[in-house]
């Protein structure tokens, strides 16, 4: 076996120049020069004559029934061209995951009979100037009947919680179940045989992406009734397909020009501004700009979902984990967006990179009267990793075991059966931990240095 505590830097130096083309070598981004010289063109750098602007009148309540909407005063504002309501949206359903068959459709593009979070869009105002659009949106009058709101994930699942979703549950239904589930072995039997049982709670708050460039687009009518969309989307074809579905038009009617994103981190995969800008451009036959203010970006653009995780572990005196039970609550906010998928990703990541013979997990995608959450770098996995590895450190402290040794004792190996009933392969976790220990000068006992991911675990 190679000396794991020594790093052969000469090997890497020799090999880098001969076989590595990117890894381990400096590589300039293709767009870096444009960024640092100020020559990169963003969507807002494009100028069009007769450019109109869209602004939104938004809900002031977490949960309310809409009794009436009066747009008459908005139409009196000089420069206001049109007011767009849900009646003007051909297919008034926004669900980004419908492209991969996720249902039911649960979020209107513009609110119809109720609102489920503060900031939910109700009316779009199109005007000659941004100032006129803002003024017009402020003059829309909405009468509400306020309804009870649910703002906590566990409260949302309690039997006496007000049901906020028309489908009758405050959670996404996975193949008839209340949660995305993992059942492997007998977790209660595992706890019974354990020398120690530890349980801790971990939680995260919503995290806003806070991009330098706020979400926005400019839509320009073209000949043949087509529309050209200049967008800062992170996913041009995703945006094109979802926009076409909402407009109820052929995909070939639209062209999306993007590629330059002033910060996205996942948040700009949502297709929020383009459909309404397209409708406004069609109704006015003018180029239309719809861009979030910084306040809107912080309030209503999708954050990373808040998560609450309970992890209960049954552990033997030598540090072997023999049972793990996880209860995960992911706050989807008022609508689905990407969170049912993110919750599935979390379930797929449990119980972490460890071989545990008894695993029970319920991963809930929960609806609350909060801003809908969505994608953000590693969503569904990032917070789960934080919780799992925090749990490992706390167990190590409680049992006075070296935290790396605890991980090595439980690390999955090639051939191990994972909790999802898939055989582990290409694991390499043991080698990664060994190399990490060497890099920081953390001495491991010989028996841990002799471990290998390719060596079967002792019975």
């Amino acid at each position: 076996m190679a000396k794991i505590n020594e790093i052969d830097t000469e090997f890497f130096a020799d090999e880098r120049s001969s076989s590595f083309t990117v890894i381990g070598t400096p590589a300039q981004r293709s767009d870096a020069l444009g960024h640092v010289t100020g020559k990169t063109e963003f969507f807002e750098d494009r100028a069009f004559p007769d450019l109109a602007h869209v602004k939104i009148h938004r809900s002031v309540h977490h949960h309310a029934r809409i009794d009436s909407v009066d747009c008459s005063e908005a139409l009196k504002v000089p420069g206001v061209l049109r007011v767009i309501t849900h009646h003007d949206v051909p297919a008034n359903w926004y669900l980004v995951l419908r492209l991969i068959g996720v249902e039911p459709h649960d979020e209107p593009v513009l609110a119809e009979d109720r609102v489920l979070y503060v900031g939910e869009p109700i009316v779009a105002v199109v005007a000659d100037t941004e100032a006129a659009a803002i003024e017009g949106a402020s003059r829309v009058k909405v009468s509400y009947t306020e309804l009870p709101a649910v703002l906590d994930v566990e409260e949302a699942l309690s039997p006496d919680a007000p049901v906020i979703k028309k489908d009758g549950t405050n959670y996404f239904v996975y193949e008839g179940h209340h949660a995305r589930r993992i059942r492997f072995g007998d977790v209660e039997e595992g706890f019974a045989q354990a020398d120690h049982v530890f349980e801790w709670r971990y939680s995260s708050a919503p995290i806003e992406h806070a991009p330098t460039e706020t979400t926005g687009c400019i839509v320009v009518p073209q000949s043949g009734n087509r529309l050209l969309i200049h967008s800062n989307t992170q996913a041009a074809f995703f945006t094109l397909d979802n926009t076409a579905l909402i407009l109820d038009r052929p995909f070939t009617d639209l062209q999306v020009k993007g590629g330059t994103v002033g910060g996205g981190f996942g948040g700009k995969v949502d297709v929020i501004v383009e459909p309404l800008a397209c409708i406004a451009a069609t109704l006015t036959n003018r180029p239309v700009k719809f861009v979030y203010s910084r306040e809107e970006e912080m309030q209503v653009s999708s954050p990373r979902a808040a998560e609450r995780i309970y992890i209960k572990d049954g552990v033997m005196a030598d540090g072997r984990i023999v049972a793990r039970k996880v209860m995960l609550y992911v706050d989807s906010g008022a609508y689905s967006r990407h969170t049912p998928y993110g919750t599935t990703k979390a379930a797929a990541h449990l119980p972490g990179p460890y071989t545990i013979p008894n695993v029970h997990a319920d991963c809930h995608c929960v609806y609350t009267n909060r801003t809908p959450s969505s994608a953000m770098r590693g969503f569904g996995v990032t917070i789960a990793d934080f919780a799992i590895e925090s749990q490992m450190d706390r167990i190590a402290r409680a049992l006075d075991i070296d935290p790396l040794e605890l991980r090595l004792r439980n690390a999955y190996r090639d051939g191990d059966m994972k909790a999802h009933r898939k055989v582990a392969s290409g694991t390499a976790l043991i080698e990664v931990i060994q190399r990490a220990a060497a890099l920081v000068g953390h001495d491991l006992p010989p028996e841990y240095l002799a471990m290998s991911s390719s060596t079967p675990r002792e019975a």
Side-chain angles (χ1 to χ4, degrees), residues 24-68:
T25 64
Q28 180 174 302
R29 283 177 56 113
S30 60
D31 56 1
L33 190 60
H35 288 351
V36 299
T37 60
K39 294 182 178 179
T40 298
E41 187 179 59
F42 295 85
F43 87 92
E44 285 198 276
D45 292 325
R46 297 175 172 87
F48 299 95
D50 297 322
L51 182 66
H53 298 262
V54 169
K55 291 296 177 182
I56 303 295
H57 182 89
R58 300 182 179 278
S59 166
V60 296
H61 295 292
H62 289 290
H63 189 202
R65 185 169 61 247
I66 296 175
D67 298 322
S68 66

Side-chain angles (χ1 to χ4, degrees), residues 219-382:
V219 177
V220 185
Q222 305 290 293
S223 60
N225 203 33
R226 300 183 75 237
L227 297 169
L228 173 58
I229 305 169
H230 296 279
S231 173
N232 58 14
T233 177
Q234 291 178 250
F237 286 99
F238 201 59
T239 295
L240 186 151
D241 291 347
N242 274 288
T243 301
L245 289 171
I246 292 168
L247 299 180
D248 195 21
R249 294 177 60 169
F251 304 116
T252 51
D253 280 3
L254 309 179
Q255 180 184 3
V256 175
K257 284 191 176 181
T260 305
V261 182
F265 322 113
K268 287 178 181 172
V269 299
D270 284 344
V271 189
I272 300 297
V273 294
E274 293 85 359
L276 289 174
C278 285
I279 292 169
T282 300
L283 291 174
T284 62
N285 197 32
R286 289 172 57 170
V288 171
K289 179 179 180 180
F290 182 12
V291 59
Y292 278 177
S293 66
R294 178 58 59 186
E295 182 180 3
E296 287 177 302
E297 187 72 39
M298 296 300 291
Q299 181 191 12
V300 299
S301 67
S302 302
R304 181 195 294 279
E307 298 183 31
R308 187 175 302 162
I309 308 174
Y310 295 90
I311 304 179
K312 180 180 179 181
D313 283 338
V315 189
M316 304 306 292
D318 63 0
R320 288 178 296 114
I321 302 173
V322 294
R324 172 163 285 176
K325 185 174 184 178
V326 180
M327 297 295 285
L328 167 64
Y329 303 93
V330 183
D331 190 346
S332 185
Y335 298 110
S336 293
R337 299 207 182 165
H338 285 87
T339 306
Y341 170 58
T343 305
T344 293
K345 286 173 62 182
H349 202 63
L350 298 175
Y354 305 107
T355 293
I356 302 174
N358 304 288
V359 178
H360 174 116
D362 281 346
C363 302
H364 305 82
C365 173
V366 186
Y367 298 115
T368 64
N369 294 115
R370 301 172 70 96
T371 302
S373 60
S374 193
M376 187 179 188
R377 295 293 168 89
F379 69 109
V381 174
T382 308

Side-chain angles (χ1 to χ4, degrees), residues 5-22:
N5 285 320
E6 296 179 6
I7 301 173
D8 195 342
T9 54
E10 292 184 3
F11 168 81
F12 285 110
D14 292 341
E15 290 295 311
R16 184 176 295 137
S17 58
S18 61
S19 62
F20 292 168
T21 58
V22 175

